[in-house]
Amino acid sequence: MADAASIFIIPPPYHHHLSHTSNSSFCTSIRTPILPTQTPRRRNHSHHHQTLVVRCCITTTTTANQKKNPISWGCDTDSLENASALQKWLSEAGLPPQKMSLQRVEVGERGLVALKNIRKGENLLFVPPSLVISANSEWSSPKAGEVLKRNGVPDWPLLATYLISEASFMKSSRWSSYISALPRQPYSLLYWTRSELDKYLVASQIRERAIERVNDVAGTYNDLRLRIFSKYPHLFPEEVFNMETFKWSFGILFSRLVRLPSMDGRVALVPWADMLNHSCEVETFLDYDKSSKGIVFTTDRPYQPGEQVFISYGKKSNGELLLSYGFVPKEGTNPSDSVELSLSLNKSDKCYKEKSEALRKHGLSVSQRFPLQITGWPLELMAYAYLAVSPPDMRNSFEEMAAAASTKTTSKKDMRYMEIEEQALQFILDSCETSISNYTKFLQGSESMDLDVTSPKQINRKLFLKQLAVDLCTSERRILFRAQYILRRRLRDMRTGELKALTILNGFRKFFK
């Protein structure tokens, strides 16, 4: 049998949200570019068209700010009237005849459905660049666009502001039909309140990611407001450009923005294409096709008339899918699923200061999160564990361990410190079991959780959020259970081997007495 620990370690690149589909690198300052995604992003959907997902309208809770500044554009997520108007406008604007139509579907509420037989390997969509929203799109308010570009606003906040600006022009905007077909409230953790995040995602590390994202959006808006909007109130009135509208526009971007590799990596919103729902079973994604001069995707399976056509939003964990799109695939159906395991240095460690400095030098903190998958864990996690348990007489290796724990290090090798491997594996196991305990406590408590609401609509919302949280925590705990099993088995084998070697050694000693 192969070594259990070695077959369970994933070589880099490992981190699902540090790969080609990252939108987690979103930055708070408009002076720092915000990194988008390569694959299409959208709202709620599921792993495959045969499986239903729990969903409901989550526009039922209204905050004080929403009452003051309601989003007056967009539509309900299942609106076919707005979808029909979008199709008509796109055709009149140059979208060629399609083999798909936008219809109400079981998965995703609205989706693109095959009208004819579609072959595997066929190119679909052909959305021309003229129907794509990018940083180069013309503004209905040219002066507003000039001000933002003059101030060096990067693509993400630029597009967020552009979307709000065009929405505020209503029918006079070229993009009116598209904006009217966008959800009035995108499915996103941006719309969960802090108390909801604390209550329902208490066991999951996605809670921290969601809080970071909410803070990032608020920070970006405040930076824009202080540096630009307040200086040009006639171009950016607060009743239009406020926190609520930015939450909406960033919710749209997080769920729909794509990066097009063949257009020099340009980030863009692609009307019509962003109506495609996600499946964990497909790998095809959008790109610009130079021969047809349109945005296309190549099918990796055939479709019959009436079947919903799917696309991949990238290799994302269930937590990331909930974070941006507001849905969780059925447990066990997402091969890219993972759970983040939090590890921390022990403050009572005699070498705490030296280890902290080594981590800081390589862009890490004393507390780090690493992804576990059913298939294994990354080399970086093992390197961090080695550092965490290493004794003072190994201080010459602290630098090497910290470097190996960093995702920024390009050259990776499977380091083995046999003298402390058992302690490192036990350190990871202890963290796993602590996390499992937190998940179990939440899942057991969720059965009798008091929803604390009076309105029927609020009850629907709370039940919906609770179910999403239960689905997420169940899938994440499943991965932790697998890691726990592997770690326990590996430690048992190591300790059994040590005991056997000690028994043999003692036998030799008795023999030579």
Side-chain angles (χ1 to χ4, degrees):
M1 182 181 288
D3 183 295
S6 63
I7 63 171
F8 197 62
I9 296 177
I10 305 171
Y14 69 92
H15 209 187
H16 44 265
H17 65 263
L18 294 177
S19 65
H20 65 286
T21 60
S22 173
N23 68 7
S24 61
S25 301
F26 173 75
C27 304
T28 57
S29 172
I30 63 171
R31 291 180 287 273
T32 305
I34 298 170
L35 305 179
T37 110
Q38 274 189 344
T39 52
R41 304 176 170 269
R42 237 206 54 201
R43 55 213 183 286
N44 72 320
H45 37 345
S46 179
H47 61 286
H48 196 270
H49 60 290
Q50 282 125 339
T51 302
L52 295 176
V53 287
V54 178
R55 63 180 184 268
C56 72
C57 178
I58 59 172
T59 58
T60 55
T61 297
T62 308
T63 65
N65 284 339
Q66 285 174 311
K67 289 177 181 177
K68 182 180 178 182
N69 300 303
I71 303 298
S72 57
W73 49 77
C75 66
D76 292 334
T77 52
D78 61 350
S79 169
L80 288 185
E81 182 181 351
N82 296 64
S84 177
L86 173 64
Q87 282 183 267
K88 183 174 183 293
W89 170 74
L90 286 168
S91 297
E92 292 172 351
L95 185 74
Q98 300 286 304
K99 287 191 173 183
M100 301 175 291
S101 68
L102 192 55
Q103 299 178 20
R104 186 173 288 118
V105 292
E106 287 186 340
V107 174
E109 298 184 335
R110 294 180 305 183
L112 296 185
V113 173
L115 294 173
K116 304 176 181 179
N117 286 318
I118 296 173
R119 302 184 310 275
K120 178 181 178 180
E122 190 170 347
N123 282 351
L124 298 177
L125 291 177
F126 305 101
V127 180
S130 61
L131 292 178
V132 170
I133 295 176
S134 72
N136 297 326
S137 295
E138 292 185 11
W139 291 61
S140 295
S141 172
K143 290 183 179 179
E146 289 170 12
V147 167
L148 293 180
K149 291 176 181 179
R150 191 165 63 241
N151 280 272
V153 177
D155 286 354
W156 268 73
L158 180 71
L159 285 170
T161 310
Y162 178 82
L163 207 54
I164 297 168
S165 178
E166 294 303 307
S168 71
F169 275 86
M170 306 297 277
K171 294 292 184 182
S172 60
S173 168
R174 181 195 176 206
W175 304 106
S176 172
S177 295
Y178 173 60
I179 292 169
S180 295
L182 293 175
R184 187 174 293 113
Q185 187 179 79
Y187 284 88
S188 165
L189 290 187
L190 285 176
Y191 282 91
W192 290 37
T193 66
R194 179 58 186 267
S195 63
E196 289 167 348
L197 291 172
D198 291 344
K199 183 174 185 178
Y200 298 118
L201 297 180
V202 62
S204 176
Q205 292 295 324
I206 283 297
R207 170 184 167 277
E208 298 299 320
R209 297 267 302 279
I211 292 170
E212 289 169 4
R213 179 166 292 187
V214 170
N215 291 338
D216 287 345
V217 170
T220 299
Y221 164 69
N222 287 329
D223 197 10
L224 284 166
R225 181 174 56 82
L226 291 172
R227 295 181 58 220
I228 300 174
F229 297 168
S230 61
K231 297 177 181 178
Y232 302 91
H234 60 293
L235 295 176
F236 306 101
E238 190 174 357
E239 60 267 23
V240 174
F241 299 87
N242 52 63
M243 191 61 246
E244 284 305 312
T245 57
F246 266 82
K247 188 189 295 184
W248 172 81
S249 63
F250 271 109
I252 296 297
L253 295 186
F254 279 125
S255 60
R256 293 172 180 262
L257 199 66
V258 299
R259 183 187 292 277
L260 302 169
S262 298
M263 293 186 77
D264 301 319
R266 182 185 304 175
V267 293
L269 289 168
V270 186
W272 184 251
D274 62 4
M275 295 295 172
L276 285 159
N277 280 318
H278 168 81
S279 168
C280 295
E281 298 177 4
V282 303
E283 296 184 355
T284 186
F285 58 91
L286 296 179
D287 199 5
Y288 176 69
D289 180 57
K290 294 180 181 178
S291 60
S292 62
K293 293 182 171 53
I295 310 300
V296 304
F297 76 96
T298 306
T299 58
D300 56 5
R301 52 153 291 186
Y303 292 93
Q304 301 295 320
E307 279 191 284
Q308 184 178 177
V309 180
F310 291 96
I311 201 167
S312 171
Y313 292 1
K315 295 180 178 181
K316 302 185 182 303
S317 69
N318 286 0
E320 288 180 305
L321 292 171
L322 175 61
L323 184 64
S324 289
Y325 312 108
F327 81 100
V328 178
K330 186 179 178 182
E331 183 185 0
T333 61
N334 180 5
S336 299
D337 196 17
S338 67
V339 58
E340 289 189 324
L341 182 66
S342 182
L343 302 178
S344 299
L345 295 183
N346 189 337
K347 290 186 177 181
S348 63
D349 190 325
K350 293 178 180 178
C351 301
Y352 180 83
K353 188 174 181 180
E354 294 170 76
K355 293 178 181 180
S356 301
E357 182 58 30
L359 289 169
R360 187 196 62 77
K361 186 176 179 181
H362 292 279
L364 302 174
S365 66
V366 294
S367 294
Q368 286 295 133
R369 299 194 298 258
F370 296 93
L372 297 181
Q373 290 184 294
I374 284 290
T375 52
W377 59 71
L379 296 173
E380 287 85 347
L381 183 150
M382 197 67 195
Y384 186 98
Y386 280 135
L387 178 64
V389 302
S390 55
D393 60 9
M394 292 185 70
R395 56 172 39 92
N396 289 338
S397 299
F398 289 176
E399 184 74 23
E400 181 184 39
M401 294 173 184
S406 172
T407 58
K408 296 177 182 177
T409 305
T410 53
S411 58
K412 297 288 183 184
K413 61 178 181 178
D414 186 2
M415 293 189 314
R416 302 293 290 274
Y417 296 92
M418 298 306 297
E419 65 271 38
I420 58 170
E421 183 156 356
E422 182 181 335
Q423 296 96 304
L425 293 173
Q426 184 64 52
F427 173 75
I428 298 171
L429 177 59
D430 291 343
S431 298
C432 272
E433 293 184 333
T434 298
S435 193
I436 287 171
S437 176
N438 292 335
Y439 279 100
T440 301
K441 182 179 178 181
F442 167 75
L443 289 170
Q444 290 175 345
S446 67
E447 297 174 6
S448 58
M449 187 178 286
D450 182 9
L451 297 178
D452 190 28
V453 292
T454 54
S455 161
K457 289 184 177 181
Q458 286 182 316
I459 290 176
N460 286 339
R461 171 188 165 82
K462 297 294 183 182
L463 286 172
F464 176 58
L465 301 188
K466 174 185 165 183
Q467 187 60 54
L468 285 173
V470 167
D471 291 346
L472 175 67
C473 290
T474 301
S475 68
E476 291 186 336
R477 188 178 64 164
R478 171 176 172 265
I479 298 170
L480 288 166
F481 274 140
R482 173 63 177 168
Q484 179 192 49
Y485 168 76
I486 294 291
L487 286 161
R488 284 180 173 177
R489 189 179 70 177
R490 175 60 181 149
L491 286 166
R492 181 199 64 204
D493 292 346
M494 291 177 72
R495 288 161 183 165
T496 303
E498 289 169 3
L499 181 60
K500 185 177 181 181
L502 184 60
T503 302
I504 293 172
L505 179 60
N506 288 336
F508 275 117
R509 285 174 178 169
K510 290 178 183 178
F511 180 78
F512 286 107
K513 277 186 179 180

